[in-house]
Amino acid sequence: MRVVALLSLVGHAAAIWPAPQSFTNGSAALWLAEDFRVSYNNRTLTQRIGSTKSIPTEISSLDIVEAAVQRARESIFQSSIVPWKFYPRNKLDQIEPSATGNSKIYIQKLQITQTTIDNNSTFKPIAGEVDEAYNLTIGTDGAATIKAVSSISVLRALETFTQLFYLHSGEGTGVYTNLAPVSISDWPKFSHRGLNLDVSRNWFPKENILRTIDALSWNKFNRLHIHITDAQSWPLDVPALPELSQKGAYRSGYSYTPQDIKDIQIYGIYRGIEVIIEIDMPGHTTSIGFSHPDLITTFRYQSWHDYCSEPPCGQLKLNYTPVYDFVTKLFDDVLPRVSPYSAYFHTGGDEINTNDYLLDDTVNSSSVSVLTPLIQKFIDHSHDLVRKAGLVPIVWEELLITWNLTLGKDVVVQTWLDDASLSEVTGRGHKALFGDYENWYLPCGYGQWFNFNNTDAAIHYPYTDYCSPLKNWRVIYEYDPTASLSADQLALVLGGEIHLWAERSDPSNMDQVMWPRASAAGEVLWSGRQDPSGQNRSQIDAAVRLSDLRERMLLRGVGSEPIQMAYCTQYQGDCTW
Ligand SMILES: *[C@@H]1O[C@H](CO)[C@@H](O)[C@H](O)[C@H]1NC(C)=O
Ligand SMILES: *[C@@H]1O[C@H](CO)[C@@H](O)[C@H](O)[C@H]1NC(C)=O
Ligand SMILES: *[C@@H]1O[C@H](CO)[C@@H](O)[C@H](O)[C@H]1NC(C)=O
Ligand SMILES: *[C@@H]1O[C@H](CO)[C@@H](O)[C@H](O)[C@H]1NC(C)=O
Ligand SMILES: *[C@@H]1O[C@H](CO)[C@@H](O)[C@H](O)[C@H]1NC(C)=O
Ligand SMILES: *[C@@H]1O[C@H](CO)[C@@H](O)[C@H](O)[C@H]1NC(C)=O
Ligand SMILES: *[C@@H]1O[C@H](CO)[C@@H](O)[C@H](O)[C@H]1NC(C)=O
Ligand SMILES: *[C@@H]1O[C@H](CO)[C@@H](O)[C@H](O)[C@H]1NC(C)=O
Ligand SMILES: *[C@@H]1O[C@H](CO)[C@@H](O)[C@H](O)[C@H]1NC(C)=O
């Protein structure tokens, strides 16, 4: 069978992103009937009426599949592209099938079979608990089938299915594929494929998060990590502590209600995206000080360079009973509300500044030997609460690597400082996530957001930021921190996350900053850096497929950037260096 090797030659027409593990195609044309029927385990699905964006209250396999089919219909019939950008100009009529005559063969039915019954962990899985594998076939006679292990794999299969179709340029003639017979067998390389979105540095109304979940699902991601609080603002309503968002949000109303959080989680479940909330502590907590100044040391301390990595400084006091009471009250409120819809809770732990504790009157010391047992005790307390709520803790790498804390074996350690961290964390027997700032930080390279006085300006000109340069999609695509790991270490790598820290992002530019560069991470996480023959995937092949998905994302309402000029996709050999 001419499986993957073919992908590099086929050019545009087989433009599935992320690349399936195994793909064969022919070149027969098929049309998709507008009213094509869909069966799910022999049950005919009725077409839903109403918006595909509405947020359901029930969670069941049938509802999830039915909603996904409806979205697939909408994507295919309302947002398929006419692929003029992918062929030499004025050649489209040679590629498109004839739209006239009675020889058009239609796909009338898509038969979906789910091979195992979903269970409770399907909708809030620990990494590895849900099998996302699927097979998809389309015969030249128009018979289309999906065989999927879980309802989540049905969702993945439907995303692939939609990408097989193009809109014919003849008005009203419909959508076609010219790849039949198609046979796809697909599964993800990593079980944790995430985006980390910071919603504290700037305010992101809920619909922006929902739109991001849509885009993640098109790229076969399965996690959205929401870094929901930080030093700058506290946009999370906590009914037991209402003053937190009343005083800590940027503005009254610029905060997520319990219903918003639940909506975001359920919207995610319907798209196979598990939403993981992070409340970062004990650093990155200044915004608590707007309502609870007694809990925070070095609150908005003006000589910030020595007390935090960016203003405003402030950390939870480290040896203070009211801080423990606060954390207990906070977690007892938040965790039981998120745990029905998520298996994880992220407790942060990055960039703890030791100098802050010199000025913390409950500590009066910046000595590591004094601080370490206090931080250990603080983390043990939070993690006990997380586990009590039935959740699994995630932390940033410093707790293990800088502080050498004893963490439970259940704890997932998220690395970000260096790709060597992944080796260290897994070498110490912990489950790990990758995505370091030199490769997978989306906000890098746009320049500084600090202002400089006239003296400092000369020194800092031309204002490059700490993680400059910008991570071109190719850098993201070639990132492979697992290459040097042993098999035992590799078994502990759950996957990774690409990050959008929002110091200079808000709803006006978030789509462009994220997409399609996050898609490059999506393919690394789903398909793998190497193809099944062990070769590095090629930028040349990827650029065309990525551009195809980008066109679809635009039509579906996500402002994804171009990665090339149209000339390069029209004349595909011409833009190779
Ligand atoms: C698969 O599709 C490509 C066009 O994308 C075509 O060039 C190729 O011939 C097809 N394969 C077969 C076996 O028809
Ligand atoms: C669907 O119907 C076929 C034939 O009637 C049967 O063999 C199969 O078990 C059914 N599948 C499910 C999931 O009910
Ligand atoms: C799912 O969990 C709930 C309570 O946690 C339990 O009542 C139910 O039986 C479980 N269902 C399955 C299919 O395991
Ligand atoms: C749920 O089903 C998956 C297979 O899809 C299995 O691996 C997992 O152990 C099951 N979980 C429970 C709690 O039964
Ligand atoms: C997909 O097809 C392969 C090869 O025929 C088979 O081994 C696998 O079990 C199938 N997967 C599903 C989800 O049906
Ligand atoms: C820290 O120093 C202040 C001022 O000297 C004092 O009041 C406080 O008791 C000290 N705290 C500890 C834990 O020693
Ligand atoms: C870290 O802790 C472990 C045991 O918990 C100990 O064996 C090791 O020496 C410590 N490493 C450092 C660098 O402190
Ligand atoms: C500019 O700021 C620096 C501190 O970063 C300070 O030392 C210097 O005096 C300031 N210069 C002027 C002209 O304000
Ligand atoms: C494959 O890509 C990695 C970076 O992801 C690089 O280190 C390696 O040298 C490449 N291998 C080949 C054979 O080009």
Side-chain angles (χ1 to χ4, degrees), residues 39-242:
S39 68
Y40 173 51
N41 292 342
N42 294 339
R43 170 183 182 139
T44 299
L45 300 184
T46 47
Q47 282 203 43
R48 293 185 154 212
I49 305 159
S51 165
T52 54
K53 307 274 182 213
S54 64
I55 294 161
T57 49
E58 298 294 315
I59 295 168
S60 78
S61 307
L62 177 62
D63 287 335
I64 286 177
V65 168
E66 210 161 51
V69 165
Q70 192 61 22
R71 292 196 305 274
R73 285 183 191 281
E74 201 175 277
S75 289
I76 294 171
F77 293 112
Q78 294 172 25
S79 311
S80 282
I81 57 172
V82 174
W84 64 268
K85 278 193 183 171
F86 300 93
Y87 298 100
R89 60 201 63 182
N90 306 321
K91 290 276 189 288
L92 199 54
D93 55 347
Q94 295 172 25
I95 276 83
E96 290 183 325
S98 164
T100 53
N102 50 13
S103 60
K104 288 167 88 175
I105 301 173
Y106 280 90
I107 297 169
Q108 303 280 5
K109 184 172 178 195
L110 170 63
Q111 188 180 344
I112 301 173
T113 310
Q114 186 179 321
T115 58
T116 66
I117 296 171
D118 292 333
N119 59 38
N120 274 357
S121 55
T122 307
F123 306 121
K124 51 164 202 169
I126 300 290
E129 265 187 342
V130 61
D131 189 332
E132 296 172 88
Y134 69 90
N135 290 344
L136 166 59
T137 63
I138 305 180
T140 46
D141 57 356
T145 68
I146 286 172
K147 275 215 167 72
V149 180
S150 63
S151 59
I152 306 305
S153 34
V154 175
L155 307 192
R156 308 302 176 226
L158 287 167
E159 293 304 336
T160 301
F161 186 72
T162 63
Q163 290 183 29
L164 292 167
F165 296 97
Y166 293 91
L167 180 63
H168 197 280
S169 60
E171 202 176 322
T173 48
V175 299
Y176 66 93
T177 179
N178 47 18
L179 296 166
V182 177
S183 175
I184 293 171
S185 187
D186 201 9
W187 62 90
K189 177 164 169 83
F190 291 106
S191 54
H192 185 120
R193 306 182 304 280
L195 171 95
N196 169 29
L197 179 64
D198 160 19
V199 298
S200 166
R201 268 54 177 259
N202 270 306
W203 166 240
F204 294 80
K206 179 171 81 172
E207 55 270 25
N208 298 282
I209 298 179
L210 303 184
R211 186 175 71 256
T212 300
I213 289 173
D214 283 325
L216 288 168
S217 70
W218 305 332
N219 287 276
K220 298 190 174 73
F221 279 89
N222 67 355
R223 302 284 188 267
L224 172 63
H225 163 184
I226 305 182
H227 181 87
I228 207 160
T229 60
D230 208 298
Q232 290 78 5
S233 81
W234 185 282
L236 175 67
D237 288 355
V238 179
L241 296 157

Side-chain angles (χ1 to χ4, degrees), residues 258-436:
Q259 186 65 45
D260 289 336
I261 299 297
K262 183 176 171 188
D263 287 352
I264 290 167
Q265 288 182 290
I266 291 180
Y267 195 88
I269 287 171
Y270 265 68
R271 286 150 184 83
I273 308 291
E274 183 172 4
V275 174
I276 299 171
I277 306 287
E278 176 187 0
I279 295 184
D280 196 354
M281 293 189 296
H284 292 271
T285 45
T286 318
S287 59
I288 295 169
F290 287 99
S291 55
H292 294 264
D294 61 310
L295 302 183
I296 299 293
T297 178
T298 59
F299 179 67
R300 297 186 59 215
Y301 207 69
Q302 291 303 300
S303 314
W304 68 267
H305 289 275
D306 292 329
Y307 293 90
C308 55
S309 50
E310 72 181 33
C313 293
Q315 285 180 179
L316 283 170
K317 290 183 182 171
L318 202 52
N319 190 18
Y320 190 41
T321 305
V323 166
Y324 279 77
D325 297 341
F326 169 83
V327 172
T328 303
K329 201 167 182 184
L330 171 66
F331 277 14
D332 280 351
D333 181 314
V334 174
L335 302 186
R337 288 187 286 105
V338 305
S339 64
Y341 311 107
S342 181
Y344 293 100
F345 195 82
H346 200 312
T347 64
D350 58 324
E351 297 184 313
I352 299 171
N353 188 299
T354 53
N355 290 343
D356 288 28
Y357 297 124
L358 204 52
L359 304 185
D360 172 356
D361 61 5
T362 72
V363 180
N364 292 339
S365 171
S366 60
S367 145
V368 169
S369 61
V370 172
L371 299 181
T372 302
L374 294 173
I375 297 176
Q376 178 76 57
K377 185 174 165 218
F378 178 81
I379 298 300
D380 287 348
H381 175 249
S382 333
H383 285 188
D384 284 349
L385 294 168
V386 171
R387 292 188 188 100
K388 193 182 82 183
L391 292 154
V392 175
I394 306 181
V395 297
W396 293 108
E397 65 169 79
E398 287 98 316
L399 292 186
L400 189 68
I401 294 181
T402 311
W403 293 98
N404 200 20
L405 298 190
T406 304
L407 298 171
K409 280 292 170 216
D410 55 338
V411 175
V412 177
V413 179
Q414 179 161 28
T415 63
W416 68 279
L417 284 163
D418 192 327
D419 61 5
S421 305
L422 190 66
S423 178
E424 172 149 10
V425 169
T426 54
R428 289 166 69 165
H430 279 281
K431 297 189 195 95
L433 301 174
F434 58 81
D436 71 62

Side-chain angles (χ1 to χ4, degrees), residues 371-525:
L371 299 181
T372 302
L374 294 173
I375 297 176
Q376 178 76 57
K377 185 174 165 218
F378 178 81
I379 298 300
D380 287 348
H381 175 249
S382 333
H383 285 188
D384 284 349
L385 294 168
V386 171
R387 292 188 188 100
K388 193 182 82 183
L391 292 154
V392 175
I394 306 181
V395 297
W396 293 108
E397 65 169 79
E398 287 98 316
L399 292 186
L400 189 68
I401 294 181
T402 311
W403 293 98
N404 200 20
L405 298 190
T406 304
L407 298 171
K409 280 292 170 216
D410 55 338
V411 175
V412 177
V413 179
Q414 179 161 28
T415 63
W416 68 279
L417 284 163
D418 192 327
D419 61 5
S421 305
L422 190 66
S423 178
E424 172 149 10
V425 169
T426 54
R428 289 166 69 165
H430 279 281
K431 297 189 195 95
L433 301 174
F434 58 81
D436 71 62
Y437 76 91
E438 292 191 279
N439 292 280
W440 276 17
Y441 267 30
L442 293 165
C444 301
Y446 291 90
Q448 288 284 8
W449 50 267
F450 287 103
N451 304 317
F452 301 91
N453 70 25
N454 288 348
T455 312
D456 287 345
I459 301 164
H460 289 272
Y461 186 85
Y463 313 114
T464 47
D465 56 67
Y466 80 101
C467 56
S468 183
L470 186 136
K471 312 309 165 199
N472 184 276
W473 75 269
R474 295 171 185 83
V475 170
I476 293 166
Y477 194 63
E478 288 170 12
Y479 177 53
D480 186 11
T482 65
S484 60
L485 301 185
S486 71
D488 284 350
Q489 287 176 303
L490 200 53
L492 292 166
V493 178
L494 306 180
E497 295 186 353
I498 188 159
H499 305 267
L500 178 53
W501 301 109
E503 280 89 349
R504 58 164 302 287
S505 280
D506 71 7
S508 74
N509 68 348
M510 67 186 293
D511 286 5
Q512 291 79 1
V513 174
M514 284 193 282
W515 307 106
R517 290 187 299 148
S519 304
E523 181 152 298
V524 171
L525 291 164

Side-chain angles (χ1 to χ4, degrees), residues 2 6-7 9-15 23-28 87 178-181:
R2 334 183 182 188
L6 211 104
L7 273 179
L9 305 174
V10 295
H12 162 254
F23 181 95
T24 60
N25 71 285
S27 44
Y87 298 100
N178 47 18
L179 296 166

